[in-house]
Structures are given as C-alpha cells and as structure tokens.
Amino acid sequence: MAELAALEDPRIREVNEKHGDDHGVNLGKLRAVAKRLKTQQELACRLWETGDSSARLLALLICRPKAFGRDELDAMMRQAHRPKVHDWLVNYVVKKSPHAEELRLVWFADPDPVVASAGWALTTARVAKRPEGLDLAGLLDIVEAEMKDAPDRLQWAMNECLSTIGIEHAGLRARAVEIGERLEVLKDYPTSPGCTSPFAPVWIAEMVRRRGA
C-alpha cells in the first residue's frame, strides 16, 4: 500500500476522476508492480479487501481467476463501484472463471444497472465467440426497447452488444444498424482522431470494412 501511495500522481487522478475513477497511479507502472509480484492469490484477496481502487486494480492483475468461487465473484462485482475496477474485474477475472456463464445469467437481469452491465458485457463476449444458444434477435428486442433510457454504464454495454451483433452476424446487421440509427445512442460521443466512433452504425460499418479489406 505504501508503494502504491508513492506512485500516486495528482494529475492522473484529476483526469481519472472525470471518468468516475478515484485513483492516480499510472497503469503502466501498476502493471510493472504486478509483473514483479507475479501471481499471489492471498495477497490479491488482502489488497481487494482494502477497498482502495489502486490496490484493487493490482489485485486483479496478480490474482488467480479460477480460484474465486461464484459467490465471491458476485460479491466483488457488487463492490466494484469504479468503472476501471469494474471493467478489469469483468475482463481479467470473470471471463476466465468457470462460473462466467452462470454469473452472466444472474447479472444480466439484475436491478442494479452497473451489475447488469457486467451481464451484458459477458453476453457480448458470447455473441462474438460462442453465440450458440443465444437468442440474438431477442437481445436486439431488449436493446431496442431499453437502451435509449438506460443509465450510462448499462447503456454503453447494451450498445457494445448491439454493435457486436451487427459486426459478427451478417443476417442481423441491417436490423442492428437500423436500431442504432433510430435510437441515436452515442451519436455525438467525442471521438479522438484515428479512433472509431462508438455510435453503432459507424462502428459496425468500420469493423465490417476492415474485415473485408
């Protein structure tokens, strides 16, 4: 904890706070600490328990994802209030867990929109890699009905699912684009030069173009 405190940079914290995060450690330096520590499950658990975001990010880098039980991961998700911690927990830990599919189903319909966004993120991963058994048209129905008025984090996760369906599944592409055009979610999202807009019709068209090229 002392080492993490020494890495704290007020300028980085100021930028991160604009995105809802509450840490000021350069992530490259954090990864260097994790590389030195290697996998240490017990230390990871103790770091997580501090509640400090930098410590939790480090914990997610040095933990053993398959060592967590289903209930442990569910509790961690409900404690992961900051966007970066939430994102890393889903992508670095839960996606590698044998409990991922069970948690996807539990979280997908959770009344907490932040928890539900994790369910949608796991669903998006399945849309891209293992769509068998998913009702893709049904997912588009939910997006069409609920994405426009969804809270920010849940809306972002739904939009990513919408775009992934459009990119990966040609038979549903026209409908995905039509939904995106009509709802206009993230249409005016500020996008840096050289980056692709998260607006679904633009995102879908660009990714399909790249694959064709």
Side-chain angles (χ1 to χ4, degrees):
M1 293 302 294
E3 185 173 354
L4 290 174
L7 292 174
E8 177 80 15
D9 184 328
R11 292 168 299 178
I12 293 176
R13 177 177 283 272
E14 184 179 353
V15 172
N16 287 337
E17 284 179 345
K18 293 178 182 178
H19 303 287
D21 289 307
D22 63 344
H23 66 90
V25 176
N26 176 283
L27 296 181
K29 293 180 179 179
L30 192 73
R31 291 181 188 278
V33 175
K35 186 175 181 180
R36 189 189 78 233
L37 292 172
K38 299 185 171 62
T39 302
Q40 294 194 48
Q41 180 66 11
E42 183 182 352
L43 176 58
C45 291
R46 292 174 64 191
L47 287 168
W48 182 270
E49 288 168 2
T50 67
D52 177 82
S53 289
S54 295
R56 285 186 163 179
L57 291 171
L58 180 59
L60 296 171
L61 293 174
I62 67 170
C63 73
R64 188 175 293 108
K66 294 179 180 179
F68 292 109
R70 174 206 175 281
D71 291 345
E72 285 181 288
L73 291 173
D74 185 67
M76 290 168 72
M77 178 54 61
R78 296 175 193 284
Q79 297 163 0
H81 305 298
R82 300 297 179 176
K84 183 62 71 176
V85 175
H86 178 274
D87 182 54
W88 282 21
L89 176 59
V90 172
N91 289 294
Y92 295 171
V93 181
V94 180
K95 284 183 179 179
K96 299 176 183 178
S97 166
H99 307 291
E101 178 61 13
E102 185 181 357
L103 289 169
R104 180 185 78 82
L105 294 170
V106 170
W107 293 340
F108 188 83
D110 197 277
D112 182 334
V114 175
V115 175
S117 74
W120 277 87
L122 294 172
T123 299
T124 298
R126 271 204 59 187
V127 167
K129 297 178 180 178
R130 291 188 302 109
E132 300 79 12
L134 289 178
D135 180 3
L136 299 178
L139 287 172
L140 291 180
D141 289 342
I142 297 172
V143 168
E144 189 171 25
E146 300 179 13
M147 182 173 74
K148 181 77 171 179
D149 299 316
D152 288 351
R153 304 254 294 274
L154 179 55
Q155 184 184 72
W156 186 277
M158 285 182 164
N159 183 71
E160 187 171 4
C161 190
L162 170 67
S163 301
T164 303
I165 291 173
I167 293 163
E168 301 289 342
H169 301 279
L172 294 169
R173 187 169 297 148
R175 186 181 173 207
V177 170
E178 188 277 328
I179 290 171
E181 288 176 341
R182 183 157 37 82
L183 298 184
E184 297 187 336
V185 168
L186 300 177
K187 184 176 182 179
D188 299 319
Y189 190 83
T191 305
S192 302
C195 295
T196 302
S197 168
F199 179 47
V202 174
W203 189 357
I204 292 167
E206 175 59 18
M207 295 309 295
V208 171
R209 183 194 69 78
R210 289 184 193 179
R211 292 185 180 187

